[in-house]
Amino acid sequence: MWDDAFPSFLIGLREGLEAGLIVSILVATLVRAEARSRLPQVWTGVLAAIAVAMSFGAVLTFTAASMPQTAQEAFGGTLSVIAVAFVTAMVFWMRRSARNLSSELKQKVTGALAMGSGMLVLTSFLAVGREGLETALFLWTTAQAAGESAGPLTGAAIGLVLAAGLCWGLYRRVLKINLTKFFTATGVVLIVIAAGVLGYGLRDLQEGGVLPGRTAYAVDLAGSIDAGSWYSTLVQGVFNLMPTMTWLQVVAYVGYLVVVMTLFVRGVRATAPKPKPKPEPAERPAAEAPAGPRPRTGRRPAWVIPTAVVAVPAVIAGLAVALGRPKPAGDQTVAVSETDCGKGFTAPAPGRQTFRMHNTGRQASEVYLVDPSTNAVYGEIEGLAPGTTRDLVATVAGGTYAWRCVPASGRAVTSKPVTVRGGGAAKPVTPVSEQDLAGPLKAYKAYVGHGLDTLVGQTGTLRRDIEGGHLDKARTDWLTAHRTYASLGAAYGTFEDFDKKIDGRADGLPGGEHDKDFTGFLRLEDGLWHGQSAKELTGPARQLDTDAAGLRKAFPSQDFDPGDLPLRAHEILENTLQFELTGDTDEGSGTNLATADANLTGTRELLTVLEPLLTSRSPRLLPTVDADIDRVRKLLDAAHDGDHWTPVEKLPAAGRQRLDGATGQLLEDLAPVPDLLEIRKSA
């Protein structure tokens, strides 16, 4: 969080100090002119500027939230580029204006005093409002880059509080700092941060389809740098530099940094200190100061104007947010039942829409928003119970739409189609049937069947090693057989009860490693690497050989749900991250990384048989996942030499972090597979 907080802390400190100095000069000028009665007008303008800035931030947040994903990327990227432009202009402006800021503001205040209270409110509002809007925009972009981290807001709050304290000290003449040097130093740091924000914004524009080159990578260090390490987090949080960057990001980052930093440094050197101005004549006493409007009877209460200038921006922002939220499509909720699906459905406007689905029937129902001509699914609700109402949010573009209701028992009912006019882009999911998965399932079962044939031969060899007392050879043959078993994807109930017998852990057994029900590979591993004799291990070795043969015989007739196939693509490596990469299943051999490597082989085989279905639904998914698998495999290859594998607990901290980070990224990229290939009911 603190890594994400630093850029916002700096912008909060700098912008807060700018705004605070302005307010301090305004107040000091009025006090010295003995016009303290006009101070409420200054505070009214300041409060109005703060309200406008906060309202601007709220509008940005809720406007982006109501957009489709690609539009959010484009919107965020555009605002990031605009924020960089504002920050760059602010840095150069303050470098030029720091010395003369006080005298310029004093002239404006003197003129405002002569023109009445409204002008003084406007002067303070304009003086503070610019900094407020810049701060809101920059904080929004840094918060977008940080995701769910609270760091940006925390850092900004600390910076603003510190700036307020510094301004109070300067006002009371307790602190004396060289503002020119302060703004020069922070300007250099902000230029570096702004270069990172520019790169992040351009990446968002590429993700949103606005700019080309999304997959043209100039830097790809994801396989050698752990994205979750402290140093990586620090660099990403402060400078917005990522392990993987496109050519456009790199060129923009370097180009901005070289050009802007050069101009800034030259400007600092060229700006010579100006001679001190002659002492100004003392301000006129209050009696000589321009008199404001004469008081009159029936004047409005003093609280009316401050309340209005603060409330009006908030009300406007609230209206903008309310009007920008996804709205229910149509004036009525959409009915769901066994006989009447989609009652109340009218053609919605293009964009992100929220539909209120109410089950008026007697059965729970699956509900899908579909294109009736292709059956592509735009949104769905699973298990909508009778009498309940739930929201379904979907992005709608030009095209034809209908509701399909599939009750728990009964035939599917499809509503009348409606046509939506307009542009936009919506990404439906092409539904998958059991028939679609029949081919991949057949290919995968053939792969597993062949692997089981190999496994039975290897467990037989292992049994004979132990029976003959050749325990050194048995350790080598144990690893070979265990890797074969792991590569078959024994996750998500693949082998029913056989998996517990063949590769079950001692956790949860009353006797732990000494329990009679602790059998299989891990039981033999415990004995082989903890000094048990061949006589003690012969029984477990024979049991493992028998169970492997039993699995090979039973597998062809085992019930294999086609819907589990996409789930297993994610589940295998999820188990790997939970058990193998934590060392939780190590019973003494130190070969958990070898098992992880075999699990990776099983995952790649699953993706191979699912490739035609995945490629037609998400063309970019498999190339990304393949690159992730290659990164993980390279890290695993670096952890062994021949048949010797480095135990997980003996990996260097940095190497272990890189491996965990690369596996986590692979899991994240695999996460869409179950949704893309989910079997959806159609009848």
Side-chain angles (χ1 to χ4, degrees):
M1 183 184 75
W2 298 111
D3 307 308
D4 295 325
F6 179 73
S8 297
F9 164 77
L10 188 63
I11 199 72
L13 175 62
R14 184 187 171 99
E15 293 281 352
L17 190 56
E18 282 186 38
L21 286 172
I22 291 170
V23 174
S24 299
I25 294 170
L26 291 174
V27 171
T29 303
L30 291 175
V31 171
R32 291 172 64 187
E34 298 185 10
R36 292 176 179 270
S37 61
R38 311 293 288 275
L39 288 177
Q41 297 162 14
V42 172
W43 296 120
T44 297
V46 171
L47 289 174
I50 294 173
V52 168
M54 295 180 69
S55 301
F56 178 57
V59 169
L60 289 179
T61 300
F62 287 99
T63 299
S66 64
M67 294 179 176
Q69 183 63 36
T70 53
Q72 289 185 34
E73 301 284 1
F75 181 73
T78 301
L79 289 182
S80 294
V81 175
I82 294 174
V84 170
F86 276 133
V87 169
T88 306
M90 173 265 291
V91 167
F92 281 91
W93 177 81
M94 185 50 71
R95 189 204 67 198
R96 293 191 305 268
S97 306
R99 291 190 179 91
N100 303 319
L101 183 62
S102 178
S103 59
E104 291 178 5
L105 281 172
K106 287 177 181 178
Q107 294 176 5
K108 292 181 180 180
V109 172
T110 302
L113 281 170
M115 299 180 69
S117 60
M119 186 55 65
L120 190 57
V121 171
L122 182 62
T123 299
S124 58
F125 171 79
L126 293 177
V128 178
R130 186 180 73 93
E131 277 72 23
L133 291 175
E134 287 177 355
T135 303
L137 181 57
F138 195 85
L139 286 181
W140 188 87
T141 57
T142 53
Q144 289 292 107
E148 297 181 358
S149 172
L153 294 181
T154 303
I158 295 173
L160 290 171
V161 170
L162 182 57
L166 288 173
C167 289
W168 174 252
L170 291 169
Y171 176 75
R172 303 296 298 177
R173 299 183 183 278
V174 175
L175 301 176
K176 291 183 179 180
I177 62 174
N178 188 319
L179 294 178
T180 301
K181 291 183 178 180
F182 172 82
F183 286 119
T184 298
T186 55
V188 170
V189 180
L190 275 178
I191 288 171
V192 177
I193 292 174
V197 174
L198 177 62
Y200 173 82
L202 293 177
R203 178 60 175 169
D204 272 354
L205 290 173
Q206 289 178 313
E207 294 286 349
V210 177
L211 295 177
R214 180 176 179 270
T215 58
Y217 295 115
V219 178
D220 188 1
L221 303 177
S224 55
I225 294 179
D226 176 24
S229 63
W230 68 267
Y231 54 85
S232 180
T233 304
L234 179 66
V235 172
Q236 292 179 52
V238 176
F239 303 110
N240 271 305
L241 291 175
M242 303 300 172
T244 303
M245 295 181 68
T246 64
W247 279 106
L248 178 62
Q249 287 179 279
V250 172
V251 171
Y253 182 91
V254 174
Y256 173 89
L257 201 58
V258 170
V259 173
V260 176
M261 189 69 77
T262 301
L263 293 175
F264 184 80
V265 172
R266 285 180 179 176
V268 171
R269 292 175 178 173
T271 306
K274 295 181 179 180
K276 294 183 179 180
K278 295 180 179 180
E280 298 181 8
E283 287 85 351
R284 290 180 296 173
E288 299 177 17
R294 294 182 179 180
R296 55 190 180 186
T297 58
R299 188 172 58 180
R300 68 177 66 88
W303 56 266
V304 171
I305 293 179
T307 302
V309 295
V310 173
V312 168
V315 170
I316 294 174
L319 290 173
V321 169
L323 294 174
R325 282 178 178 271
K327 305 173 185 63
D331 297 328
Q332 301 179 22
T333 57
V334 180
V336 175
S337 73
E338 303 90 321
T339 58
D340 191 4
C341 181
K343 183 178 180 181
F345 179 48
T346 57
R352 197 162 177 80
Q353 301 290 351
T354 299
F355 303 93
R356 292 184 59 79
M357 313 305 299
H358 179 64
N359 191 340
T360 59
R362 298 180 180 180
Q363 298 184 40
S365 182
E366 312 288 315
V367 186
Y368 304 104
L369 179 63
V370 302
D371 180 342
S373 62
T374 63
N375 291 323
V377 178
Y378 291 89
E380 64 184 292
I381 294 178
E382 296 182 357
L384 182 62
T388 61
T389 302
R390 285 162 59 186
D391 287 348
L392 186 152
V393 180
T395 299
V396 176
T400 305
Y401 297 84
W403 291 104
R404 178 162 296 150
C405 306
V406 186
S409 61
R411 297 177 59 85
V413 180
T414 303
S415 70
K416 289 184 177 180
V418 300
T419 300
V420 175
R421 308 291 182 187
K427 293 184 177 180
V429 175
T430 304
V432 174
S433 66
E434 289 192 14
Q435 184 61 36
D436 293 327
L437 285 171
L441 180 57
K442 181 179 179 181
Y444 185 65
K445 291 183 74 172
Y447 162 78
V448 173
H450 178 73
L452 288 175
D453 289 338
T454 303
L455 176 68
V456 170
Q458 292 169 345
T459 57
T461 300
L462 176 60
R463 172 180 56 79
R464 289 188 291 273
D465 291 340
I466 293 176
E467 288 175 340
H470 309 298
L471 297 187
D472 286 339
K473 187 174 184 300
R475 294 185 185 96
T476 301
D477 290 338
W478 174 90
L479 180 58
T480 301
H482 192 229
R483 292 192 66 186
T484 296
Y485 182 78
S487 70
L488 302 182
Y492 222 83
T494 306
F495 301 138
E496 298 178 352
D497 293 337
F498 281 99
D499 183 51
K500 189 174 182 180
K501 297 176 182 178
I502 293 173
D503 205 34
R505 296 181 297 152
D507 296 0
L509 296 176
E513 283 84 358
H514 304 290
D515 196 284
K516 62 180 180 62
D517 290 329
F518 182 36
T519 61
F521 280 109
L522 300 188
R523 166 65 182 89
L524 284 174
E525 178 186 8
D526 180 63
L528 285 169
W529 274 270
H530 287 94
Q532 288 191 348
S533 65
K535 182 178 179 181
E536 293 174 291
L537 294 174
T538 296
R542 290 174 177 173
Q543 183 64 49
L544 174 61
D545 192 26
T546 299
D547 290 335
L551 173 59
R552 180 183 61 174
K553 182 178 180 180
F555 179 71
S557 60
Q558 284 182 335
D559 185 21
F560 203 114
D561 186 350
D564 286 348
L565 202 59
L567 292 170
R568 194 161 295 110
H570 187 273
E571 182 76 8
I572 294 172
L573 287 178
E574 193 173 68
N575 287 354
T576 302
L577 189 62
Q578 181 180 358
F579 299 122
E580 274 71 40
L581 296 187
T582 60
D584 190 55
T585 54
D586 185 4
E587 293 290 346
S589 69
T591 59
N592 269 23
L593 295 183
T595 307
D597 184 69
N599 289 339
L600 203 62
T601 298
T603 299
R604 189 182 282 278
E605 181 63 29
L606 268 168
L607 295 173
T608 299
V609 300
L610 294 172
E611 181 176 2
L613 295 176
L614 288 173
T615 301
S616 63
R617 287 160 176 79
S618 182
R620 297 176 180 175
L621 189 147
L622 282 181
T624 301
V625 168
D626 285 341
D628 292 340
I629 290 177
D630 290 340
R631 291 190 192 104
V632 176
R633 178 138 282 158
K634 287 178 182 178
L635 293 171
L636 291 172
D637 287 343
H640 77 96
D641 181 13
D643 292 333
H644 177 265
W645 289 80
T646 303
V648 171
E649 65 273 10
K650 292 186 178 180
L651 283 174
R656 188 167 180 177
Q657 289 175 349
R658 283 195 293 270
L659 181 57
D660 289 344
T663 307
Q665 183 62 54
L666 173 55
L667 275 170
E668 183 177 334
D669 290 332
L670 282 172
V673 172
D675 288 334
L676 287 172
L677 302 185
E678 179 185 356
I679 297 176
R680 291 171 169 86
K681 298 178 182 178
S682 59

